[in-house]
């Protein structure tokens, strides 16, 4: 079902304990702050950032293997 941007923001804010591994990865990876995750980013945004972080980490790993 379609949710408004505000409803999606509320979903990520209200689901903090369920999403804690995702939130931890994004914060520890420097992709977003907790405040941004709770107030500005939608769950879709968070998943997109998580995917970008995965690619960034993979590229770093490949570069280290090549060196």
């Amino acid at each position: 079902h379609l949710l408004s941007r505000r409803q999606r923001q509320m979903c990520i804010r209200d689901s903090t304990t369920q999403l804690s591994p995702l939130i931890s990865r994004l914060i520890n990876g420097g992709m977003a702050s907790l405040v941004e995750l709770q107030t500005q980013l939608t769950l879709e945004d968070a998943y997109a950032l998580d995917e970008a972080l995965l690619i960034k980490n993979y590229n770093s790993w490949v570069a280290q293997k090549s060196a």
Side-chain angles (χ1 to χ4, degrees), residues 19-39:
L19 297 172
S20 58
L22 171 65
I23 291 169
S24 294
R25 282 193 306 273
L26 294 177
I27 292 171
N28 293 334
M31 300 299 282
S33 70
L34 182 58
V35 171
E36 290 172 321
L37 288 167
Q38 291 177 324
T39 60

Side-chain angles (χ1 to χ4, degrees), residues 3 6-7 17 21 23 26 31 36 38 43-45 48:
L3 298 172
R6 181 70 189 130
Q7 287 171 315
T17 54
I23 291 169
L26 294 177
M31 300 299 282
E36 290 172 321
Q38 291 177 324
L43 187 55
E44 293 163 354
D45 295 335

Side-chain angles (χ1 to χ4, degrees), residues 22 25-26 29 31 46-62:
L22 171 65
R25 282 193 306 273
L26 294 177
M31 300 299 282
Y47 284 129
L49 286 172
D50 192 42
E51 185 174 344
L53 180 60
L54 179 66
I55 293 167
K56 175 183 164 188
N57 290 340
Y58 174 76
N59 288 338
S60 294
W61 178 80
V62 169

